Amino acid sequence: MPADPPPAAAPSPPPPLSLVLVGTIIHSLGLREGLAILNPGVLGVAADGRGTVVFCHALSQTPSTSPVSREEAIAAAIARLRHEWSFDDGVVTVLRKGQFVIPGFVDTHIHAPQYVFSGTGLDLPLLEWLNKYTFPRESKFSDDTYAKASYRRAVTRSLRNGTTTACYYATIHLSASKILVDVVEALGQRAFVGKVNMDRNSPDYYSETTETSFQETVEFVDYTLAKQSPLVTPVLTPRFAPSCTPELMEKLGALARDRGGLPIQSHLSENRGEIEWVKQLHPECDSYAAVYAHFGLLTDRAVMAHCIHLSPQERALLRDTGAAVSHCPNSNFSLESGVCNVRRLLDEGVKVALGTDVAGGYNPSMLDAFRMAVVASKVTAARSKEPPKTAAAAAVEGGEGKHYAALTSHEAFYLATLAGAHAMGQQDRIGNFAVGKEFDALLVDVGDDVVAAAADEEGGATLHAPVDVFPHDEVESMFEKFMYLGDDRNIVRIWVRGKEV
């Protein structure tokens, strides 16, 4: 007689929760899938050390016999969830009207040492700007005390503006680059950090030998990986092709491969003078993008900043390799570099995300990058309606007889969040509130409490609050007002991996 089967294992208890949010939840589902607005919705975060999202959905419709007020419906939903997940009331936050939760922003291109002179020196184009302002100021990071104080302020400002993930350039200095890693980890931001490589065409006071640059990069990578931090990842950072010898680029490409596909960041086709310079330095390559590809630096882990003046062949190369573009519109306007046709890149299947590019971009907030990206797309849309003056202009400016639609607010929000996750290879971890991802988020408040705190005595104009809301404003209009008019004063809580920072 066969033995009885063993009894079925008891279902494992649900994980303990550190946070349950009830209220308006907004996140992007994808470029074409659009925006999800859960109003009201509910989101649960596990107390597992990762801040894993374990549920995120709209509150279920209640039968007609159930309470019908919003408050009663929320209370009933919390009771049902408490029965299922066994959490205490202390982990529950019910959002007020005017409050909503969105994913943290992903800044895919920011120079941490340049924060010290952001908002100044925007009177020159790129190459002259580098020599007059950037290299002298970055050279000061040879002083560890100066570096630590400066980096702490730069990372704090970035985080306070809602950037929960940043892709940082440091400087050529090994010690200061390690300090940036330590500062990021201590402040709780998620970041990719790169020690910059520069062994040619650089000032005598701010340059490296090829061997020193490479060996110190290896040491930096080892230092960062040895921390085994879930927050900080090393990224190889050849500044741009003109500042790195072929020997150094070849070594960096091999290092990326040998270490299992390390992330890579650099600059590409930002300025026409830069492009001509690269042609002179590398006549053996068909294009600027081909230089990086030749040395193994154009991979699906690579993020290339700007990419304004790409040829059709270069765009295809980025698409085929899986490399991402970091679109930095503030910098592109400020340094008069040009206007990137983001719509064309997206239409052709190139990954695109947003960056602040401090300090070529004068604003460290990704809200500014969002706004400038929309403006840049409108400039491109307007120009694409005009007949090109020449065939060459058509190829470069996007006036090939095709109209390029401007970015919508929903698309630009995608670029600031989920697209950034894709660019950094983190799409399975961050970017929206899909179940299983880590909770990197902002609690935004544009409601009555913020307005009342800043209103004048007669209740008229708000003196300090950046956003005014009115009785006709619904959830989506309040969200749009924040994205176009809001600032850090509206960001009242910030989480990275489920931990408030």
Side-chain angles (χ1 to χ4, degrees), residues 40-78:
V42 61
L43 186 151
V45 180
D48 59 358
R50 295 179 61 245
T52 305
V53 176
V54 292
F55 56 82
C56 179
H57 54 78
L59 291 183
S60 58
Q61 296 292 324
T62 56
S64 58
T65 56
S66 299
V68 293
S69 75
R70 179 184 174 95
E71 292 75 15
E72 290 174 322
I74 287 175
I78 293 173

Side-chain angles (χ1 to χ4, degrees), residues 50-53 190 230 429-430 432 436-440 497-498:
R50 295 179 61 245
T52 305
V53 176
R190 191 189 301 268
R429 185 171 296 174
I430 59 171
N432 63 11
K437 292 191 179 184
E438 297 173 8
F439 187 64
D440 289 10
R497 301 188 85 239

Side-chain angles (χ1 to χ4, degrees), residues 123-134 271:
D123 57 331
L124 295 172
L126 173 67
L127 299 179
E128 292 89 338
W129 177 81
L130 288 171
N131 285 303
K132 182 174 181 179
Y133 300 111
T134 303
N271 170 285

